[in-house]
Amino acid sequence: MTDFAGIQAFIEVARAGGFRTASRATGLSASSLSDAVKRLEAGMGVRLLNRTTRTVTPTRAGADMLDRLAPLLAEFEAALDIANDYRGTPSGTLTLNVPVNTARLVLPRILPSFADAYPDIRVEVVVNDSFVDILAAGCDAGIRYGERLEKDMIAVPIGPRRQRFATAASPAYLKRRGRPEHPSDLLGHACLSGRFDSGALATWEFERDGEVLRIEPAGPLTVHVTAIDLAVSVAIAGNGIVQLFEDWLLPAFESGDLVPVLEPWWQSFPGPFLYYPGKEHIPAPLRAFIDFTRRHRW
């Protein structure tokens, strides 16, 4: 008989990059996952995973097998999910791949009420700011902005439809260093910048009367975008200027810890989209989430 348990364990471990990470994702013990993969390898007579004390990676055979299994598993899960159509309320797991700003600004406004409406659905959120193949990553859907959406995907608006990037500094910093009056003035200031998963530095963009300016920020601190709160804290402490989503900085504006800088130049842009594959059968948890977001008022 086909070792479905072993195949599932192999896929989860290969995707997670380790037995402990896969254990947290699946709720199964690392030892049971290891035993299942070993039985699968023994039955097939080929090693599927390279194991070291630090990493677990697919072998060439394992990588080829994973590529072939992923779409088959998706179809298998879709077939099982059809039973959800006959339940009073949908159940299962919904895995979303989202950028850090969405995890901070959008999902907190929708997930609590979604959880109340669908208590049998378990939501797993993966935070990633790079381009992602959501199917290869084992996710049901993603949230990205228009220019970063995957091709051939269905996109549904989610979150506020207009957002702005805000630039800010503490009153103490501005008293000591002076207030920039034009974006080009930032070249002489201490800018607290962010870096994406790709390694690229986040460019600061400004716009006024149709004129767009891009600044490469330079200063005493650069952090990964997932740790951008550190840059905000450093700005509040008076050590530099930060640029981030306006909604993210709003509490600091309201408390007076930060004050707006170059506000006439703040750039406005369309809000994010929920996107997912355009396949015939949409898993019940994802379908429930799509319908819920369409009804949600922002």
Side-chain angles (χ1 to χ4, degrees):
M1 293 181 65
T2 303
D3 186 357
F4 287 112
I7 293 172
Q8 182 69 44
F10 161 69
I11 292 173
E12 295 292 348
V13 173
R15 284 175 172 172
F19 289 96
R20 291 183 180 178
T21 307
S23 174
R24 290 192 292 269
T26 62
L28 301 173
S29 69
S31 60
S32 65
L33 289 170
S34 178
D35 290 342
V37 173
K38 287 179 180 177
R39 287 195 301 270
L40 178 64
E41 289 176 324
M44 297 181 66
V46 63
R47 178 177 290 275
L48 300 173
L49 295 173
N50 289 317
R51 305 160 175 83
T52 70
T53 55
R54 292 180 178 272
T55 62
V56 176
T57 58
T59 62
R60 178 66 180 273
D64 289 346
M65 180 173 161
L66 189 63
D67 287 342
R68 297 292 297 272
L69 280 174
L72 295 176
L73 182 64
E75 289 300 319
F76 181 73
E77 291 174 343
L80 293 179
D81 186 67
I82 290 175
N84 253 324
D85 295 336
Y86 298 92
R87 290 171 50 89
T89 57
S91 67
T93 299
L94 170 65
T95 304
L96 301 174
N97 192 295
V98 308
V100 62
N101 66 284
T102 298
R104 175 67 178 266
L105 302 176
V106 175
L107 292 184
R109 295 177 58 182
I110 193 169
L111 286 186
S113 52
F114 179 75
D116 289 339
Y118 298 96
D120 294 331
I121 295 178
R122 174 178 175 268
V123 180
E124 181 176 347
V125 177
V126 179
V127 178
N128 190 314
D129 274 86
S130 61
F131 289 98
V132 175
D133 182 338
I134 57 173
L135 294 179
C139 300
D140 298 297
I143 298 178
R144 291 293 187 279
Y145 289 80
E147 73 277 7
R148 300 179 70 87
L149 290 175
E150 288 188 65
K151 296 179 180 179
D152 302 322
M153 292 282 173
I154 297 175
V156 178
I158 186 173
R161 297 325 308 145
R162 299 298 300 180
Q163 293 181 282
R164 290 198 301 176
F165 280 128
T167 312
S170 72
Y173 176 88
L174 296 177
K175 182 178 180 179
R176 187 175 71 255
R177 297 288 299 271
R179 176 184 290 272
E181 300 297 336
H182 187 274
S184 62
D185 295 340
L186 294 173
L187 298 176
H189 280 268
C191 298
L192 310 171
S193 55
R195 193 177 296 278
F196 295 111
D197 292 336
S198 64
L201 194 67
T203 301
W204 291 8
E205 294 194 0
F206 300 88
E207 184 173 2
R208 185 177 186 180
D209 299 329
E211 180 184 6
V212 178
L213 296 177
R214 295 176 176 84
I215 302 295
E216 295 289 342
L221 178 68
T222 299
V223 300
H224 189 273
V225 289
T226 56
I228 201 66
D229 263 330
L230 175 59
V232 177
S233 297
V234 172
I236 290 173
N239 294 103
I241 298 176
V242 67
Q243 185 181 85
L244 199 55
F245 289 83
E246 181 181 8
D247 289 346
W248 198 317
L249 296 178
L250 190 58
F253 288 150
E254 293 175 343
S255 67
D257 290 335
L258 293 176
V259 295
V261 172
L262 298 170
E263 188 168 2
W265 286 89
W266 288 2
Q267 189 180 54
S268 174
F269 51 92
F273 294 84
L274 173 74
Y275 70 98
Y276 56 94
K279 53 188 179 181
E280 182 177 351
H281 182 78
I282 300 174
L286 175 57
R287 186 169 62 250
F289 188 73
I290 294 168
D291 293 341
F292 191 84
T293 58
R294 282 174 169 161
R295 296 192 303 269
H296 190 84
R297 300 184 65 181
W298 297 94

